[in-house]
Amino acid sequence: IEVSSEPGMGTVFQLRLPLTLAIIRSLLVRFRQGLFTIPIEDIREVVAVPTGEIHDVHGYRSIEVRGEFVPLIGMDQLFQWSHSDTSQQSVNEASLALNTGPAISVVILRGPGGTLGLCVDELLGGMDVVIKSLAENFVSVDGVSGASILGDGTVSLMLDTTAILEMATLPKHA
């Protein structure tokens, strides 16, 4: 930040952002108490699926979306949370386990590895976020491409769709 001021003329604030930052149009979602963003370009669509319409196809939970069966996965299947978090089930994970309850929110991800339905607890809307790489400032986390500090000071993690599609143990098409 550079500040220059001239009496009677005003003050100029100049912000310089490093090139390692990127502004990405994203969907903000909640899972448990955490906030995550998913790049809009990696989302095919968002659907609400009644838990009674979740099918078991070759041992994998799946949903039918526009005539296509899409594998369904929860965040708990992708990430290992700290031991304090594992005692709390997310709204969707509880509904899926019992196959009861209201419809679940599913973000249909698309990428080079295929298509995947990702269960989230709440859809919070679209926003442009400034993303900073975790690997450069902290550690690399599989399935997470970066982090952002939202306007209210909350940290949001950006999901890496390509990595998530690779991490998900899904059936391979013959």
Side-chain angles (χ1 to χ4, degrees):
I1 299 175
E2 290 181 20
V3 180
S4 59
S5 182
E6 287 189 41
M9 297 296 295
T11 303
V12 174
F13 294 90
Q14 190 171 32
L15 302 174
R16 294 179 194 235
L17 298 176
L19 292 176
T20 56
L21 295 175
I23 298 174
I24 299 175
R25 184 75 182 152
S26 304
L27 174 66
L28 183 65
V29 300
R30 180 179 311 281
F31 181 78
R32 294 188 185 174
Q33 278 69 48
L35 294 178
F36 298 86
T37 53
I38 305 168
I40 291 288
E41 66 186 27
D42 295 341
I43 298 172
R44 186 176 91 181
E45 62 187 295
V46 176
V47 295
V49 179
T51 55
E53 293 183 19
I54 298 169
H55 308 282
D56 185 34
V57 178
H58 299 292
Y60 294 92
R61 289 188 296 193
S62 300
I63 56 174
E64 186 175 359
V65 180
R66 305 195 197 303
E68 172 189 1
F69 280 95
V70 175
L72 187 63
I73 196 164
M75 296 274 278
D76 285 339
Q77 293 172 270
L78 293 171
F79 299 103
Q80 291 191 8
W81 310 103
S82 68
H83 64 280
S84 62
D85 284 339
T86 56
S87 63
Q88 300 174 342
Q89 242 182 349
S90 82
V91 173
N92 280 338
E93 290 297 315
S95 292
L96 286 172
L98 300 172
N99 211 31
T100 62
I104 59 171
S105 297
V106 178
V107 179
I108 308 294
L109 304 175
R110 65 172 175 223
T115 303
L116 174 70
L118 180 65
C119 299
V120 298
D121 286 342
E122 186 179 1
L123 303 165
L124 300 173
M127 64 174 26
D128 291 324
V129 291
V130 177
I131 297 297
K132 182 72 173 163
S133 169
L134 284 179
E136 293 175 17
N137 299 294
F138 185 57
V139 294
S140 180
V141 178
D142 290 339
V144 176
S145 60
S148 181
I149 299 175
L150 304 178
D152 65 357
T154 306
V155 174
S156 170
L157 298 176
M158 172 70 72
L159 296 180
D160 180 346
T161 303
T162 301
I164 286 174
L165 288 168
E166 290 173 4
M167 291 165 58
T169 52
L170 302 172
K172 304 294 180 205
H173 297 289

